[in-house]
């Protein structure tokens, strides 16, 4: 079992930055894929950033490419999402997700085996 706990969400004005974090515990060594996905009220879940821990490859959705950056600190069992140039449309609950699959980029992050409880990010105009 892998446990994921997000933190760092909050409110920020448009154009601002925020870094959210995800602490992993349990059988985290078995994880090959880590990702962030988000869900805004009334909208579908959207995978925004994926990290393949074995090779370091990353993937970003078009909506956040160039503004968001996913990274991991394996020594601290932490996953991060640095979000810059935030816009009101980035307002959502952000979830950390993890999976042992080798197909990090073919499985949507919201379908990964493990996910946290989420952290709310609110961007005002």
């Amino acid at each position: 079992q892998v446990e994921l706990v997000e933190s760092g969400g909050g409110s920020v004005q448009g154009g601002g930055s925020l870094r959210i974090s995800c602490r992993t515990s349990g059988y985290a060594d078995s994880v090959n894929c880590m990702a962030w996905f988000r869900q805004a009220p009334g909208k579908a879940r959207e995978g925004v950033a994926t990290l393949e821990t074995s090779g370091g490859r990353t993937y970003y959705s078009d909506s956040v490419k160039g503004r968001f950056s996913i990274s991991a600190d394996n020594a601290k069992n932490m996953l991060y999402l640095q979000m810059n140039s935030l816009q009101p449309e980035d307002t959502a609950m952000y979830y950390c997700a993890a999976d042992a699959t080798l197909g990090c980029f073919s499985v949507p992050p919201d379908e990964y085996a493990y996910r946290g409880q989420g952290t709310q990010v609110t961007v005002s105009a």
Side-chain angles (χ1 to χ4, degrees):
Q1 187 75 11
V2 176
E3 291 80 40
L4 306 171
V5 179
E6 302 94 338
S7 62
S11 297
V12 63
Q13 285 191 327
S17 299
L18 201 62
R19 188 179 79 161
I20 55 178
S21 304
C22 173
R23 179 176 299 280
T24 66
S25 60
Y27 293 97
D29 288 346
S30 65
V31 167
N32 183 56
C33 312
M34 297 208 71
W36 292 94
F37 69 91
R38 65 187 181 186
Q39 187 166 27
K43 295 187 177 181
R45 293 170 184 161
E46 177 191 14
V48 296
T50 301
L51 171 66
E52 182 184 60
T53 58
S54 59
R57 292 189 297 164
T58 57
Y59 166 83
Y60 297 94
S61 66
D62 288 343
S63 61
V64 307
K65 195 175 297 181
R67 300 188 298 122
F68 289 14
S69 178
I70 187 171
S71 63
D73 185 333
N74 295 328
K76 297 181 179 179
N77 292 327
M78 296 292 293
L79 180 75
Y80 304 102
L81 185 68
Q82 177 67 43
M83 303 181 290
N84 300 325
S85 301
L86 283 162
Q87 302 300 321
E89 51 266 35
D90 294 316
T91 294
M93 185 72 80
Y94 283 72
Y95 298 88
C96 172
D99 202 290
T101 180
L102 297 180
C104 294
F105 307 108
S106 58
V107 178
D110 64 314
E111 295 182 13
Y112 282 7
Y114 307 104
R115 69 174 67 169
Q117 293 300 308
T119 186
Q120 177 69 36
V121 173
T122 302
V123 185
S124 57

